[in-house]
Amino acid sequence: MLKKILKIVAILVVLFSLLLIISKFISDYRLHKYNNSVVNDEVFPYNQIDSIFDKTNSDTIYVFLYDKDSDDCIYLDEVLLKEISYEHNGITFENIYKVEYEQSYRSYIRQMIQNTFNIRSFPAIVALTQTEDGYEKTDSFEYVINQEENLENLESFLERNHFFDISQKN
């Protein structure tokens, strides 16, 4: 009798575990299916910035130096930019392209990116203008942890770069 009860309990535990695993996969799938970003969906590797210039046929591009594993990047992408989008009648920022920098945790790569784009912190959105020698930074927004002015500075950057007029604000 005790063996039957133990077998039934073991079977129930296994079934419950399987249901939990299936539930997790379904919820993860639904979360990844829903895109909270208001910037361009395409993600470019750090070493292929020139392909963004080719794709857009523009002399100025906007790159979002992005790391998919960074909470700060996700916050900038899915909270701050989304809030500005709502405030300006749901505009999207299709001209901002995500550029993922690999292995950003390594200090020398991080320093190389900071030197290349002349920035102090990550994440950042950088306006780049194409030159004969490559490209140069013309403007930037740099996210600073625990800084209350991030939203204001981001909105100013977007307005300076003609993503919207202040008159478009709700």
Side-chain angles (χ1 to χ4, degrees):
M1 181 73 176
L2 184 60
K3 283 186 176 184
K4 277 188 175 183
I5 293 174
L6 288 176
K7 281 183 183 181
I8 292 173
V9 168
I11 290 171
L12 289 175
V13 167
V14 169
L15 287 175
F16 183 72
S17 298
L18 286 174
L19 287 174
L20 282 177
I21 291 170
I22 291 170
S23 173
K24 180 173 177 13
F25 281 129
I26 290 171
S27 63
D28 284 349
Y29 172 75
R30 286 182 179 167
L31 284 174
H32 290 296
K33 190 176 177 182
Y34 184 70
N35 186 3
N36 265 337
S37 182
V38 290
V39 301
N40 197 301
D41 288 339
E42 254 182 295
V43 179
F44 291 84
Y46 167 70
N47 59 357
Q48 292 183 5
I49 289 179
D50 291 335
S51 63
I52 301 173
F53 282 109
D54 295 339
K55 178 182 177 66
T56 62
N57 292 323
S58 176
D59 290 338
T60 301
I61 62 170
Y62 302 91
V63 296
F64 178 0
L65 297 173
Y66 184 79
D67 182 356
K68 68 179 184 263
D69 297 325
S70 165
D71 290 338
D72 293 332
C73 287
I74 292 169
Y75 179 74
L76 173 58
D77 186 18
E78 297 181 5
V79 176
L80 293 181
L81 283 166
K82 189 93 165 186
E83 185 174 331
I84 291 172
S85 171
Y86 284 138
E87 288 178 0
H88 293 275
N89 299 316
I91 64 171
T92 59
F93 304 105
E94 288 295 317
N95 293 337
I96 298 176
Y97 294 88
K98 290 180 184 175
V99 173
E100 189 165 44
Y101 50 96
E102 295 176 15
Q103 301 174 338
S104 59
Y105 58 90
R106 294 193 177 168
S107 61
Y108 69 92
I109 292 177
R110 186 178 187 90
Q111 192 61 49
M112 182 179 74
I113 293 170
Q114 288 174 325
N115 291 344
T116 300
F117 294 106
N118 194 21
I119 58 174
R120 294 179 303 277
S121 64
F122 290 100
I125 300 174
V126 182
L128 300 175
T129 301
Q130 197 168 27
T131 64
E132 291 178 15
D133 303 339
Y135 47 85
E136 67 180 2
K137 178 183 109 172
T138 55
D139 196 2
S140 67
F141 163 78
E142 299 173 40
Y143 179 84
V144 180
I145 297 172
N146 297 327
Q147 184 174 351
E148 293 179 14
E149 293 86 26
N150 275 325
L151 185 61
E152 293 171 24
N153 293 340
L154 177 58
E155 194 166 32
S156 295
F157 168 80
L158 294 169
E159 186 179 358
R160 280 192 313 271
N161 288 282
H162 310 289
F163 281 92
F164 54 79
D165 294 325
I166 200 67
S167 62
Q168 288 179 315
K169 196 167 185 174
N170 288 339

